[in-house]
Amino acid sequence: MSVMIAIANPKGGVGKSLTTMMLADGLALSYGARVLVVDADPQAGVTKALLGIDAEQQLRQRQIGLAAMLQAFASGRSMRLASHRVAAGDLIELRDREAGFIDILPSNHELLKEMADFEHEARRKKRKDRLDVLLANALRSELAKIDAGYDAVLIDCPAGPGVLGLSAMRLAEHIVAPTSLETNAYSTLTDFLKFILADDLDLASQVKVHPLITQYQSTNTVQREMLQHIKQGLHHLNAIARPVPYTSALQNAATHPGLGVFRSAREKYGSALPEVIALTKAVVERISPGG
C-alpha cells in the first residue's frame, strides 16, 4: 500500500509546494519510488513546478485535473481520478520511468474562482453530511483504484482550513507541516495543529503531524536558538529535525524549464541537491514504523 502524506499549513508562503516538489524528486531519485502528487491547491504551485506554466494551461483547456474532477463530484458523476493523472517532472534521471517516477493530478488557478460554485452545487445535492468528509471519501475510493501503482502519494494542500485542505488531511496518514521560524508563523502552526486534531474532525486517531522548518537561515541567531528549542521538544511537537534552508538554488529549482525539456538533478538543484536528499531521508525516517 502507498503511504499518503499531506503537506499542509494554513499560512501561505511557507514553502508547501517547494517542499512537495523536493520530496517527490527525492523519493523518486533516492529510493526509486513511484510517486503520485495530488495538487489540491488552486494556486497550482507544484503543478507549475513539475509540469510548467504552459502545460498547466493546456491541461486546463483539455479539462484534465482537479477542477474537472470536482465538477464531476458536484454533479454526482464519477471523478475518474485515474484518467486525470499525467506524467510529471523534469529530471533526466527519471525520464525512462524505470528507476522511480512522478505522476501528478494537476490543479490550475481557475479553480480559485470555481470553488464557490463547486461548494454551492455540492452542498445543494449533498445536504446531510459534511462536504469535506464526502469529498475525502470519494477521493479515497478513487485513489484505492490506483494504489498498487504507487509507493507514495503526496498531497499539496491549500492555505487555510477550507474544504479541499480538510479533505486532503482526512486522506493522509502523515501531515508534514512546513513553517518558517517567524513568531507569528510558528504560533499559527501550533493553533493549526490543535484545530486539525480536535475531536470534531476525527483526525487525532488516524494522522501523525510532523512540523518542518523551512526558509531557515543558519546565520540568524534567533532562528538557530528556536531550532534548538524545537529539537529539544518545544510544545511537544514531533518536528523533523532537519530544516530546509532558504537558498536561491531551491527557489530557481521550482522554475520549470518548459515542455519537453529535461535537466539533471544537479542542474536543477545545484548546490542545494544535498538538501533535497537530506530532507527526503529525514522524512522517510520519521514516517517509517518506529520513526
Side-chain angles (χ1 to χ4, degrees):
M1 293 180 62
S2 57
V3 59
M4 293 201 185
I5 305 170
I7 293 84
N9 188 321
K11 191 175 186 300
V14 293
K16 293 188 293 293
S17 295
L18 179 61
T19 299
T20 305
M21 179 190 73
M22 292 172 66
L23 280 177
D25 282 343
L27 287 168
L29 278 171
S30 300
Y31 294 89
R34 303 163 299 166
V35 181
L36 174 64
V37 174
V38 177
D39 192 351
D41 187 354
Q43 301 278 0
V46 74
T47 296
K48 295 183 179 77
L50 290 175
L51 291 177
I53 295 175
D54 292 340
E56 178 218 350
Q57 295 172 347
Q58 289 184 15
L59 291 170
R60 175 173 57 83
Q61 293 169 357
R62 292 165 53 195
Q63 295 189 322
I64 293 177
L66 182 60
M69 287 178 55
L70 293 179
Q71 291 172 359
F73 172 79
S75 62
R77 294 179 283 114
S78 172
M79 298 177 80
R80 300 175 62 243
L81 185 151
S83 64
H84 287 275
R85 55 187 171 158
V86 296
D90 58 345
L91 295 180
I92 292 172
E93 294 91 337
L94 304 178
R95 182 162 50 182
D96 60 11
R97 295 174 64 85
E98 293 181 2
F101 65 81
I102 302 169
D103 287 340
I104 189 169
L105 172 61
S107 185
N108 64 71
H109 66 277
E110 295 293 325
L111 190 54
L112 279 171
K113 63 183 181 183
E114 293 172 0
M115 278 304 298
D117 291 338
F118 156 71
E119 292 188 29
H120 174 77
E121 179 66 14
R123 286 196 170 99
R124 186 177 67 84
K125 293 192 175 185
K126 311 171 190 291
R127 296 178 181 176
K128 294 183 179 180
D129 297 304
R130 285 184 54 152
L131 186 52
D132 61 294
V133 174
L134 292 170
L135 180 56
N137 289 340
L139 287 170
R140 184 178 294 108
S141 177
E142 291 294 314
L143 287 166
K145 298 175 184 177
I146 59 174
D147 179 78
Y150 298 100
D151 301 301
V153 178
L154 306 179
I155 310 172
D156 188 21
C157 298
V163 169
L164 280 178
L166 292 178
S167 298
M169 286 185 283
R170 287 187 178 282
L171 295 171
E173 303 159 73
H174 298 271
I175 296 175
V176 172
T179 182
S180 64
L181 284 176
E182 301 169 3
T183 302
N184 62 332
Y186 206 78
S187 62
T188 297
L189 177 63
T190 55
D191 291 342
F192 166 68
L193 297 180
K194 293 175 184 176
F195 171 72
I196 64 171
L197 295 177
D199 289 340
D200 66 327
L201 284 184
D202 193 30
L203 289 176
S205 63
Q206 61 178 310
V207 67
K208 295 181 180 179
V209 183
H210 315 283
L212 170 68
I213 305 307
T214 57
Q215 303 171 351
Y216 178 67
Q217 299 182 36
S218 59
T219 57
N220 186 308
T221 304
V222 175
Q223 288 195 11
R224 286 205 313 272
E225 291 177 353
M226 287 187 68
L227 180 61
Q228 188 60 34
H229 289 316
I230 290 166
K231 289 181 177 180
Q232 294 172 353
L234 179 67
H235 299 309
H236 306 288
L237 296 180
N238 190 30
I240 295 170
R242 177 82 186 198
V244 178
Y246 181 86
T247 69
S248 57
L250 285 177
Q251 306 309 310
N252 292 336
T255 303
H256 195 282
L259 282 170
V261 180
F262 288 85
R263 50 186 171 170
S264 70
R266 177 62 66 182
E267 289 172 328
K268 179 173 183 176
Y269 288 103
S271 60
L273 182 58
E275 299 296 340
V276 177
I277 306 305
L279 166 65
T280 307
K281 181 180 178 181
V283 171
V284 169
E285 288 178 349
R286 179 53 57 84
I287 68 176
S288 298

